[in-house]
Amino acid sequence: MKWLALWWHHSFLLWSTIDGQTRYTIPEELKQGSVVGNLAKDLGLGLSEIFDRKLRVASEAGKQYFSVDAGKGELIVNERIDRDTLCGQSASCILPLKVVIENPLQLHRIEVDIRDINDNSPTFLTKEQALKIAESTVAGVHFPLERAEDPDVGSNSFKSYTISKDDCFSLKVKELRNGRKVPELVLEKPLDRERKAVHQLLLTALDGGSPVRSGTSQITITVLDVNDNIPVFEKSVYKASIGENSAKGAFMVKLKATDKDDGQNGEVKYTFGEHTPESVLSTFDIDTETGEMFLKGKLDYETAANFEIDITAKDKGIPEMEGHCSVQVEVVDLNDNAPEIVLTSQPSPVREDAPSGTVVALISARDLDSGNNGKVTLQLPRDYHFSLKPSFSNNYALVTSGVLDRESFSGYNIEITATDSGSPPLTTKKTIPVSIIDVNDNSPKFTQSSYDVYLKENGLPGSMLSSVSASDLDFGDNAKISYCILDSKVQGVSVSSYVYMNSDNGSIYSMHSFDYETLKVFQILVQAKDHGSPSLSSNATVHVFILDQNDNAPAVIYPSAALGSLSHQKMPRSSKAGHLVTKVTAVDADSGHNAWISYKLAEATDASLFNVNLYTGEVRTKRAVSEQDDSSQRLLIEIKDDGEPVQSSTVTVAILVEDGLQEPILDLRQKAPEPGKKSGRITLYLILSLASVSMLSLVTFVMLAVKCVRNSRSSGSCCMRLDDLDDYNNPNRNLQIQLNTDGPIKYVEVLGGDMLSQSQSFRSCLSPMSEFSDFTFVKPSSTTDFKEMINVLDASLPDSAWTFESQQVSSEVCTGGPSLGVRDVRCAPIVCRTVQRDLPPPQPQQRNPYNTPSWRRERDALPYT
């Protein structure tokens, strides 16, 4: 009844689930058929699932101590369990069980903790121990006694020793390194053989169980006479280590003991202790004369990792005197056991569309070595679509880790490598065959997701634009591909009116010639479709770009080579931020993107002082000129067009900063208004001045407009000099104006001149440095080419000493994009843009720097209006 109560207590109160593992705790020595726990309930299974899912239990210990009651789902004891035999002196005794459930395949780990009961008493190897002690032995000498053994563990194991009372002896317990306790008899005072020749003592060993169990051993001590010195070892404890693969006869350690007596009483011989177990005697040997210890048998770390050996040194006196020492032998583990791969379940075939993580098989690994030699790592070859998912204690699940493709591999021979961490490591390989079930999962794939086709305009109809290609990894009809163009609109017209496609090879042909000015880019959506069931398809986009040609680099009009290698400009040191220093103008004979010109400051003496407008080429100060700035500044300006490939040219501008020069127009935007009573009057003056200037400008514009209308009736242009009218002949003949909206800049292409003429050139009639209007009129000519026109413009420019200042007006001006471009020597793209400039208020008593005789002479000398 006591055992039954203890069993129920452990079975129903002490089981728990730790980290997903179920643990039961039962006492040892249970009868066969005793219930450990309701396994089906703890695993969440119904009784019907026990049969349906083929629940079975396997013991990792090798012996089948447990089984499952299929009717009740209970885990029962199959045979008697003796914890002392099963686990020895181990602190814990856990029997791991594997529970395998099929449909779906699952593996559970169950641990059964076998608790020790106090069913063993401490026992001595011999019931009687005999000691011979010389009467001359001094007090304090220790005599080791046989230790007691108790198979129980924990609180039920051996706890203490007691000895019967004797005035000459006491008991002392010595604790060894491994935790074991060895009793030692201590001589408290010298013996007197004449008073008492024999001492009888009773040694008792007690355990910690309840009730307490004990064992006894009778100690008989014979007091010897005369020989009063015992052999003494140099060390009380000797330590030695030896590899488990050492050969027989290998040297281990040399012991040395000395005896102070003379003659035979001082001669020492070495032997194993009287109570040395047979396992030690069969494994080790000692030279009785020299004290050298040798390996006699075979070592196995997995069986015994260390030894504690008692050595006795005896003299040859009468009576014999003996000394004792302990030899601690540590067996060094060698990696002599290869890891083992165990296939818990056979692999199942896998569909190629199985999701990642599908379990294929269950695998476990083990190694009989210890430490790093027993640590096993499983590995798969690289670039496999499978991986090992660890579960617990060297158990793994082989799962899919990627997309399977039966067309690439219809099956896999997965080679699993188990490697321990020993030195050198040992390896075991196991091949697991896995077959792949095919599904139709491959659609045609284009070689590119999109194709770019660059086609020069004015090509011949029927020419091949491009060819697309797709492939299908399937076989038979599933790999046969046909091509087609999906319907879409290009400028409101079906794309099939522009191109057609060969359905067999994917070649695309043009239906007619393309015009860049009409159509610059369009898309074709093509489809590749296999003949499988169900049919799979994929699309690709073909981008068709109509190309213009760029074969002219920007030509610098101002400053040009006619004025020298450098353009010399002057500016006052008092210049403020935004001061206009000069303006660079260039033209390009190309059109569209190829004629768009941009300006960039490539190099500068002081890059923080100047900047160049990207589109107009105006060179302005970024900040106010300071006294620390160099008086000589050099700028290298790069002019590039927007063609492909980009073409560029450069011009160098030298700027002289002089102290004597002054700003022509004061910039009053940064001047703070002076507080006081005169602020209202100044404001009134400013308003009146603005009104006067506005009225004057309006009258001037009306007069110029009337004059231009009159001149246009007779000459066709309002910008031509009178002396050029003689050379002007019908400028509006075949004149065409076309608006182009390509890109972020809008421009107008003016096509003029006699279409029958094979060569035409144009001449600018407006200064490239004009601040008021950058619109350039062109004049046809049949006698000069484009380069000659550039030279004419260069010759008409003012010299480098001319200082250019802005009138800062707000107007909408027309420029040739970033510059005026001439296309095919017949048309000039003109870009209209709004430039916002601030108009400073007129200053009282301020002399207009542009109303001087010298400035008017320079102005009148220019060959333009």
Side-chain angles (χ1 to χ4, degrees):
M1 292 300 293
K2 179 181 69 174
W3 294 116
L4 183 59
L6 182 61
W7 172 75
W8 280 106
H9 173 72
H10 286 288
S11 297
F12 291 96
L13 297 181
L14 295 180
W15 77 272
S16 61
T17 299
I18 302 175
D19 295 333
Q21 300 177 5
T22 304
R23 174 178 289 188
Y24 300 97
T25 303
I26 62 173
E28 65 177 332
E29 304 293 342
L30 281 181
K31 293 182 180 180
Q32 184 176 1
S34 299
V35 178
V36 177
N38 194 325
L39 182 60
K41 180 180 178 180
D42 297 335
L43 295 181
L45 301 174
L47 295 180
S48 61
E49 292 181 282
I50 297 176
F51 293 97
D52 297 339
R53 300 185 65 180
K54 300 179 182 179
L55 185 145
R56 61 183 183 274
V57 176
S59 174
E60 295 182 1
K63 200 169 184 180
Q64 201 69 18
Y65 289 99
F66 302 94
S67 62
V68 178
D69 187 346
K72 299 179 181 180
E74 296 176 335
L75 184 67
I76 61 176
V77 177
N78 217 24
E79 62 181 72
R80 172 181 170 273
I81 301 174
D82 186 1
R83 184 193 185 284
D84 308 320
T85 303
L86 186 64
C87 298
Q89 295 293 317
S90 177
S92 63
C93 185
I94 296 176
L95 290 180
L97 302 178
K98 291 182 180 179
V99 179
V100 180
I101 307 173
E102 298 181 359
N103 301 322
L105 186 62
Q106 291 181 341
L107 178 65
H108 297 272
R109 180 184 174 90
I110 294 177
E111 296 179 350
V112 180
D113 188 1
I114 310 300
R115 293 296 176 88
D116 182 58
I117 62 174
N118 194 17
D119 57 343
N120 293 283
S121 299
T123 58
F124 292 89
L125 186 62
T126 59
K127 293 297 183 181
E128 293 184 1
Q129 302 183 47
L131 293 178
K132 295 179 180 181
I133 303 177
E135 63 175 336
S136 60
T137 303
V138 297
V141 176
H142 292 218
F143 299 92
L145 303 176
E146 178 187 352
R147 62 175 179 261
E149 299 289 342
D150 192 342
D152 296 326
V153 296
S155 61
N156 297 326
S157 65
F158 164 79
K159 290 299 179 184
S160 62
Y161 293 97
T162 61
I163 196 169
S164 59
K165 188 175 181 180
D166 191 296
D167 295 336
C168 295
F169 297 94
S170 64
L171 183 67
K172 182 178 181 181
V173 179
K174 179 181 178 182
E175 188 169 352
L176 299 179
R177 183 181 62 175
N178 55 9
R180 295 186 176 183
K181 298 178 180 179
V182 177
E184 291 183 342
L185 191 64
V186 181
L187 182 63
E188 293 294 335
K189 60 182 181 180
L191 299 176
D192 189 358
R193 182 181 177 278
E194 286 70 26
R195 295 180 58 184
K196 190 174 183 179
V198 178
H199 294 260
Q200 297 286 344
L201 301 177
L202 184 64
L203 179 62
T204 304
L206 305 174
D207 65 13
S210 179
V212 177
R213 290 177 173 268
S214 63
T216 60
S217 177
Q218 184 70 38
I219 301 175
T220 302
I221 302 172
T222 303
V223 181
L224 303 178
D225 199 11
V226 181
N227 190 13
D228 57 353
N229 286 290
I230 64 172
V232 178
F233 284 93
E234 291 180 348
K235 298 178 182 179
S236 60
V237 178
Y238 288 84
K239 296 182 179 180
S241 60
I242 186 170
E244 63 174 326
N245 65 339
S246 299
K248 293 182 179 181
F251 172 77
M252 293 172 49
V253 67
K254 182 176 181 179
L255 310 178
K256 186 176 182 180
T258 57
D259 194 316
K260 294 182 180 180
D261 293 327
D262 293 331
Q264 289 186 346
N265 293 334
E267 295 179 6
V268 179
K269 61 179 180 180
Y270 304 90
T271 61
F272 288 104
E274 186 177 355
H275 308 294
T276 302
E278 183 63 28
S279 61
V280 174
L281 295 176
S282 62
T283 307
F284 304 100
D285 193 12
I286 188 170
D287 190 316
T288 58
E289 299 298 330
T290 63
E292 294 178 343
M293 289 188 65
F294 299 93
L295 181 63
K296 180 180 179 181
K298 185 178 181 180
L299 296 175
D300 186 6
Y301 177 87
E302 287 70 33
T303 304
N306 52 68
F307 296 88
E308 191 84 21
I309 306 174
D310 293 330
I311 303 296
T312 300
K314 295 181 180 181
D315 61 22
K316 299 180 180 180
I318 300 176
E320 290 181 338
M321 303 293 291
E322 61 182 33
H324 302 273
C325 74
S326 177
V327 178
Q328 296 176 358
V329 180
E330 180 181 359
V331 180
V332 178
D333 183 29
L334 297 177
N335 195 20
D336 56 348
N337 291 282
E340 183 181 358
I341 301 174
V342 180
L343 192 61
T344 306
S345 66
Q346 293 298 324
S348 304
V350 184
R351 288 174 56 90
E352 65 173 325
D353 60 350
S356 181
T358 301
V359 178
V360 179
L362 298 177
I363 302 168
S364 62
R366 60 188 178 189
D367 195 312
L368 297 179
D369 292 320
S370 63
N372 289 333
N373 296 331
K375 293 180 180 179
V376 182
T377 302
L378 294 185
Q379 290 182 336
L380 292 178
R382 292 183 178 179
D383 301 329
Y384 262 44
H385 296 287
F386 300 89
S387 63
L388 291 173
K389 182 179 180 182
S391 54
F392 56 86
S393 63
N394 287 334
N395 283 272
Y396 300 84
L398 179 64
V399 299
T400 59
S401 61
V403 178
L404 302 177
D405 188 4
R406 199 204 71 86
E407 286 71 30
S408 299
F409 297 97
S410 60
Y412 294 86
N413 288 321
I414 303 174
E415 185 182 70
I416 301 178
T417 303
T419 306
D420 60 24
S421 301
S423 180
L426 297 179
T427 299
T428 299
K429 295 184 179 181
K430 190 178 186 68
T431 301
I432 299 177
V434 178
S435 59
I436 307 301
I437 301 175
D438 184 36
V439 294
N440 186 20
D441 60 346
N442 287 283
S443 60
K445 294 185 181 297
F446 283 95
T447 56
Q448 300 173 216
S449 60
S450 65
Y451 297 82
D452 293 338
V453 178
Y454 298 92
L455 179 66
K456 294 181 180 180
E457 59 178 333
N458 302 323
L460 295 176
S463 59
M464 188 175 73
L465 304 183
S466 178
S467 180
V468 299
S469 176
S471 60
D472 197 312
L473 297 179
D474 293 322
F475 300 98
D477 289 339
N478 294 332
K480 189 175 181 180
I481 301 174
S482 60
Y483 301 90
C484 66
I485 297 177
L486 299 181
D487 191 28
S488 61
K489 300 294 183 181
V490 177
Q491 294 184 343
V493 181
S494 176
V495 70
S496 59
S497 64
Y498 289 87
V499 294
Y500 70 92
M501 187 176 212
N502 188 316
S503 61
D504 295 328
N505 58 23
S507 298
I508 303 174
Y509 299 89
S510 64
M511 299 284 289
H512 57 77
S513 177
F514 293 97
D515 184 9
Y516 173 79
E517 287 70 27
T518 303
L519 180 63
K520 295 177 175 57
V521 62
F522 65 96
Q523 296 180 355
I524 306 172
L525 188 61
V526 297
Q527 183 181 77
K529 191 174 184 180
D530 63 22
H531 293 188
S533 179
S535 179
L536 299 177
S537 63
S538 61
N539 300 336
T541 302
V542 179
H543 301 276
V544 180
F545 298 91
I546 310 302
L547 298 180
D548 191 17
Q549 302 301 305
N550 182 31
D551 55 356
N552 290 280
V556 180
I557 297 178
Y558 179 82
S560 67
L563 300 178
S565 59
L566 294 178
S567 172
H568 297 278
Q569 303 293 332
K570 295 182 180 180
M571 61 176 289
R573 189 172 292 276
S574 60
S575 299
K576 305 298 182 182
H579 174 80
L580 181 62
V581 180
T582 186
K583 179 178 179 179
V584 177
T585 304
V587 295
D588 195 308
D590 294 319
S591 65
H593 290 277
N594 299 329
W596 293 358
I597 297 177
S598 60
Y599 302 84
K600 175 184 174 184
L601 183 60
E603 296 180 7
T605 304
D606 187 354
S608 65
L609 185 57
F610 301 97
N611 68 343
V612 177
N613 187 283
L614 181 64
Y615 300 110
T616 66
E618 295 177 348
V619 180
R620 294 181 179 271
T621 56
K622 295 172 64 176
R623 57 176 174 81
V625 182
S626 64
E627 294 297 331
Q628 290 75 23
D629 292 326
D630 294 339
S631 59
S632 177
Q633 301 285 337
R634 182 181 294 268
L635 308 180
L636 179 64
I637 300 174
E638 182 182 16
I639 304 100
K640 299 192 300 184
D641 63 18
D642 200 37
E644 180 63 33
V646 175
Q647 303 207 37
S648 63
S649 57
T650 59
V651 62
T652 303
V653 178
I655 301 173
L656 181 62
V657 181
E658 296 185 354
D659 294 332
L661 296 178
Q662 294 183 356
E663 288 278 2
I665 301 294
L666 294 179
D667 188 359
L668 299 179
R669 289 175 293 178
Q670 300 178 352
K671 182 176 181 181
E674 297 179 0
K677 297 181 180 180
K678 296 182 180 180
S679 61
R681 182 175 299 176
I682 294 175
T683 302
L684 179 60
Y685 290 159
L686 291 176
I687 294 173
L688 293 177
S689 300
L690 287 173
S692 300
V693 172
S694 299
M695 183 62 68
L696 181 60
S697 299
L698 180 60
V699 173
T700 303
F701 290 153
V702 171
M703 294 176 64
L704 288 175
V706 172
K707 184 176 181 180
C708 283
V709 170
R710 292 177 179 176
N711 292 337
S712 63
R713 293 176 180 175
S714 59
S715 63
S717 174
C718 65
C719 67
M720 303 301 297
R721 290 178 55 91
L722 294 178
D723 54 2
D724 290 335
L725 293 179
D726 295 337
D727 299 331
Y728 183 78
N729 184 17
N730 196 10
N732 292 327
R733 180 175 56 187
N734 298 326
L735 182 63
Q736 301 178 20
I737 300 179
Q738 178 178 346
L739 178 62
N740 196 320
T741 60
D742 181 22
I745 299 180
K746 317 302 179 184
Y747 64 91
V748 175
E749 292 191 358
V750 182
L751 309 180
D754 189 355
M755 301 304 294
L756 299 178
S757 176
Q758 296 300 319
S759 64
Q760 297 190 28
S761 62
F762 300 84
R763 183 169 65 87
S764 173
C765 60
L766 188 62
S767 170
M769 296 189 300
S770 174
E771 178 65 15
F772 308 107
S773 174
D774 291 343
F775 188 92
T776 301
F777 290 89
V778 297
K779 174 185 175 182
S781 174
S782 59
T783 59
T784 59
D785 58 9
F786 183 71
K787 293 183 179 180
E788 292 175 347
M789 180 269 289
I790 299 298
N791 294 332
V792 171
L793 289 177
D794 292 340
S796 64
L797 293 177
D799 58 23
S800 59
W802 189 81
T803 302
F804 182 74
E805 296 298 337
S806 172
Q807 286 291 335
Q808 304 287 345
V809 299
S810 175
S811 64
E812 180 169 307
V813 299
C814 293
T815 67
S819 71
L820 175 63
V822 180
R823 178 180 182 270
D824 298 335
V825 203
R826 291 190 296 114
C827 59
I830 302 173
V831 178
C832 294
R833 60 187 178 87
T834 300
V835 181
Q836 183 63 40
R837 300 188 177 94
D838 298 328
L839 182 64
Q843 302 297 315
Q845 300 179 356
Q846 176 67 38
R847 184 175 63 86
N848 186 354
Y850 297 109
N851 193 19
T852 61
S854 62
W855 187 90
R856 286 196 298 270
R857 285 195 300 271
E858 291 179 349
R859 179 197 62 189
D860 295 337
L862 297 177
Y864 50 78
T865 301

